[in-house]
Amino acid sequence: MEVLRIVLLAVALAAVVFVPVLIALAVCTDEIVDRLTCRYSEWRQRRRDRCLVARLNEAADAGAVADRVDLDALDRAERRPLEQIAADLRCLRRDRAGGSRPVVWHRDVLHAYDDRLRLACQALGITEHLAELSGLDRQLERVRVEAELDAAGLRLPAARPEQPERNH
């Protein structure tokens, strides 16, 4: 009989201690679940970010880009800053689109645009052949160079489709 009283006393004592804990768990269950799922979603997001960075590193191959860039050319005092070349390219690209300006003006704008493309290619170590080509071949080379510059991080705005480009 004594053993039964000791077991009953232990169960009663455990109930007094654990009943408030069970009530608190019942009341706070939604917050506990939120915290656990939030930590899980944060972990998943960090994992996705790490995978994305790894894929970008593989795609970018920074070593190959660094090998193509002539660092001595970047230190020359007469060199125009790449930011200035990019600003010129954006301005000239807007001016390239159609309009009612004289043909000579469009030819000069296109010539200046090609010069800035060559400067940007030199600064970023991209091979270009704009000077040797003419006509349709030069237009295709211009598109290729623009794509290479875009891949290197120099973003140029898209040409406006309502104003076709004049090539002279």
Side-chain angles (χ1 to χ4, degrees):
M1 188 71 177
E2 278 301 310
V3 175
L4 187 58
R5 281 189 188 177
I6 292 175
V7 170
L8 191 57
L9 182 62
V11 169
L13 199 56
V16 169
V17 171
F18 289 115
V19 165
V21 172
L22 292 174
I23 293 172
L25 280 175
V27 170
C28 299
T29 301
D30 60 337
E31 187 170 327
I32 292 169
V33 169
D34 284 346
R35 284 188 183 194
L36 290 175
T37 57
C38 181
R39 285 193 181 135
Y40 176 71
S41 64
E42 287 174 0
W43 173 81
R44 286 185 59 189
Q45 184 62 41
R46 283 194 307 265
R47 184 169 180 259
R48 272 191 228 121
D49 291 346
R50 283 193 306 267
C51 290
L52 177 63
V53 167
R55 283 193 309 243
L56 287 173
N57 283 339
E58 289 172 7
D61 192 14
V65 173
D67 291 342
R68 291 188 323 204
V69 175
D70 181 16
L71 298 177
D72 293 332
L74 296 175
D75 291 336
R76 288 195 300 251
E78 70 274 2
R79 183 189 69 82
R80 295 188 64 192
L82 186 58
E83 294 83 7
Q84 182 63 46
I85 296 170
D88 291 348
L89 280 169
R90 289 182 186 105
C91 182
L92 289 166
R93 187 172 173 97
R94 278 191 305 269
D95 291 343
R96 267 180 33 190
S100 59
R101 308 244 181 169
V103 173
V104 173
W105 185 84
H106 286 285
R107 186 182 61 227
D108 290 342
V109 167
L110 199 56
H111 182 69
Y113 183 74
D114 289 344
D115 286 342
R116 295 313 184 283
L117 283 177
R118 277 192 228 96
L119 288 174
C121 287
Q122 279 179 337
L124 295 173
I126 296 171
T127 305
E128 54 81 23
H129 304 284
L130 289 167
E132 304 97 48
L133 301 172
S134 62
L136 184 59
D137 292 333
R138 190 174 197 165
Q139 288 175 321
L140 292 173
E141 177 67 4
R142 195 177 296 124
V143 170
R144 186 195 67 80
V145 167
E146 289 170 346
E148 289 280 335
L149 290 173
D150 186 66
L154 189 107
R155 304 283 185 247
L156 298 173
R160 293 176 285 182
E162 68 271 5
Q163 292 182 338
E165 178 185 330
R166 286 175 136 187
N167 295 299
H168 299 283

